[in-house]
Amino acid sequence: MAAIDPASKTLAQLGAATPEAVVQKFAEVRARFDADLVADANPQNWSAFVANWSGRKSGMLTKIGDNWLKPAPKELKPIVGQEFQKLKSHIESALESKRQEIESAADHAAAARDQIDLSLPGVERPIGTQHLIRQTYDELLRIFLSIGFSVVEGPEIETPYYNFEALNIPEHHPARDNMDTFYIEGARGGHLLRTHTSPMQIRTMEKQQPPVRIVVPGKVYRRDNPDATHGYMFHQIEGLAVDTDITFCDFKGTVEYFVREFLGPQAKTRLRPSYFPFTEPSAEVDASCHVCGGSGCRICKFSGWIELFGAGMVNPAVYGFVKYDAEKLSGFAFGMGVDRLAMMKYGITELPLLFQNDVRFLRQFP
Ligand code: DAH
């Protein structure tokens, strides 16, 4: 804007004493407005620009009204008034169209910002897979659910009573030796990390009358020195069936059904005598080697058989702890190492691989 503001003087002071001169003065202001509008007006200074020209207090139009129109001599008043009205409506309508122009430009810019480019490649979010332990659990549960077992879970922090005593493992019993136990210091009444899922046999029978048919998946803990096949934690699935008429045949049939489902229809089963305080008789369940089919190979150490899990008929002594009638009831139980089963089935030789969360390892089991 020009440095000198003509509207701060009267027309007389500006030397405009004829109608032509008046028209000329208004034309100058209008020309300046038009030039400023093009050169200066922008979204940043818009309100200042508007105030400068049409602001009620000290805008150009107000000043022209005050300094040109009001003091105009009588004979010039009509022409000044007329020119003033013309200038006023010109400025006001030009400001209005400029305002609309600025607004719609802003709208366009916002719309352009919000536009989605459908041709951009998407963000790849790799889909994970279920961990091999989870997959193995699902497979084991599927098999047992299909023959009428239901799933229960129990605490990982146990009492010696449930972990040992009620399973017919009294203190100083040698069976406690091969289950080196994590005891929890200072816990009231003595607590420990369960060394197996068998305590859930007791907890279930305490709460429930026969028939009982349960499987118990869960983590167990032992003070083992870590090596290729041992850690401080591993996974088990426990099984228990108790009813009035369960025989050794039911036990054997169930075990054989399981082995065929888990390893394939050609798999054979073998029961070897064993010992567990809570089963009598006890057995180790072996399956014919799934790699060589029984002819002998590195995996089965050339025996043709693979050791799968421990099992047996529930020792009547256990029923005494849960107030079941040992005369009328019978049943079988089993306890499997899930990590072991997974390693055996998928030919994994290093247990730690299952827990290191290296995706290169985990991705091999989609
Ligand atoms: N609890 C045993 C262990 O962890 C496994 C076991 C063996 C469970 C025989 C059973 C069973 O229920 O009948 O070594």
Side-chain angles (χ1 to χ4, degrees):
M1 215 178 283
I4 297 158
D5 177 3
S8 56
K9 296 183 174 166
T10 64
L11 286 169
Q13 285 167 332
L14 293 168
T18 62
E20 293 72 26
V22 167
V23 171
Q24 173 61 29
K25 284 292 157 215
F26 274 98
E28 282 167 16
V29 174
R30 177 183 169 137
R32 220 176 74 199
F33 168 79
D34 289 346
D36 279 8
L37 187 66
V38 173
D40 278 359
N42 60 52
Q44 285 71 46
N45 70 2
W46 179 244
S47 24
F49 187 88
V50 171
N52 201 23
W53 284 97
S54 68
R56 221 163 278 285
K57 251 178 113 188
S58 54
M60 182 69 92
L61 286 172
T62 303
K63 283 195 262 178
I64 288 177
D66 289 348
N67 299 334
W68 287 10
L69 181 59
K70 278 186 195 146
K74 217 174 173 181
E75 64 285 5
L76 283 180
K77 205 141 210 165
I79 185 73
V80 174
Q82 211 178 341
E83 286 299 306
F84 179 66
Q85 284 312 322
K86 264 168 43 190
L87 179 66
K88 188 166 183 266
S89 60
H90 172 75
I91 287 179
E92 281 171 356
S93 77
L95 286 176
E96 176 57 17
S97 24
K98 183 70 182 178
R99 188 187 63 75
Q100 285 176 12
E101 186 188 306
I102 287 175
E103 256 177 30
S104 79
D107 286 353
H108 274 94
R113 257 198 319 277
D114 292 347
Q115 221 170 39
I116 298 166
D117 182 350
L118 295 174
S119 71
L120 274 178
V123 178
E124 198 199 339
R125 300 188 197 282
I127 305 286
T129 61
Q130 280 194 322
H131 192 278
L132 191 55
I133 295 295
R134 183 76 257 156
Q135 291 183 43
T136 307
Y137 262 133
D138 284 351
E139 170 72 349
L140 297 171
L141 292 174
R142 177 193 68 75
I143 296 170
F144 287 112
L145 288 173
S146 76
I147 51 174
F149 285 78
S150 42
V151 182
V152 296
E153 285 180 285
E156 291 174 18
I157 294 175
E158 265 297 3
T159 61
Y161 177 77
Y162 287 107
N163 199 77
F164 296 123
E165 265 102 75
L167 287 161
N168 199 33
I169 318 175
E171 218 172 344
H172 308 302
H173 191 286
R176 290 202 190 189
D177 296 350
N178 51 24
M179 286 195 191
D180 259 337
T181 308
F182 288 111
Y183 287 93
I184 296 173
E185 226 171 87
R188 196 154 52 86
H191 282 80
L192 48 77
L193 295 182
R194 67 179 176 191
T195 58
H196 51 178
T197 43
S198 305
M200 275 309 285
Q201 292 191 25
I202 308 300
R203 288 184 179 277
T204 305
M205 287 189 285
E206 275 183 348
K207 279 214 294 253
Q208 185 186 326
Q209 286 305 305
V212 168
R213 268 184 215 87
I214 53 151
V215 283
V216 188
K219 290 182 162 75
V220 303
Y221 301 83
R222 290 187 199 176
R223 286 183 54 184
D224 285 326
N225 288 323
D227 63 20
T229 55
H230 294 87
Y232 60 87
M233 182 277 296
F234 61 103
H235 300 84
Q236 284 191 336
I237 186 166
E238 187 84 12
L240 175 70
V242 180
D243 206 342
T244 47
D245 50 5
I246 291 186
T247 66
F248 197 88
C249 285
D250 297 315
F251 167 53
K252 194 156 178 276
T254 304
V255 161
E256 283 174 357
Y257 173 80
F258 165 76
V259 170
R260 282 195 307 273
E261 283 289 308
F262 189 63
L263 291 179
Q266 74 296 331
K268 287 192 279 294
T269 305
R270 174 175 87 172
L271 298 183
R272 258 184 309 120
S274 184
Y275 173 76
F276 299 101
F278 37 91
T279 45
E280 181 60 35
S282 303
E284 289 294 336
V285 178
D286 295 346
S288 54
C289 178
H290 59 294
V291 175
C292 64
S295 58
C297 68
R298 207 167 45 82
I299 300 295
C300 60
K301 302 199 187 78
F302 300 96
S303 73
W305 295 95
I306 302 251
E307 187 181 316
L308 288 187
F309 57 92
M313 300 302 288
V314 177
N315 189 331
V318 171
Y319 296 135
F321 288 95
V322 297
K323 306 197 174 63
Y324 270 20
D325 186 345
E327 295 298 320
K328 295 207 181 97
L329 297 168
S330 56
F332 60 84
F334 53 85
M336 308 176 178
V338 176
D339 320 67
R340 254 186 58 80
L341 290 179
M343 289 172 72
M344 186 267 304
K345 189 165 172 177
Y346 297 98
I348 297 161
T349 51
E350 304 288 317
L351 177 74
L353 286 171
L354 288 170
F355 306 117
Q356 284 162 352
N357 285 345
D358 186 332
V359 289
R360 292 168 301 179
F361 170 76
L362 297 172
R363 273 205 199 109
Q364 297 176 83
F365 312 100

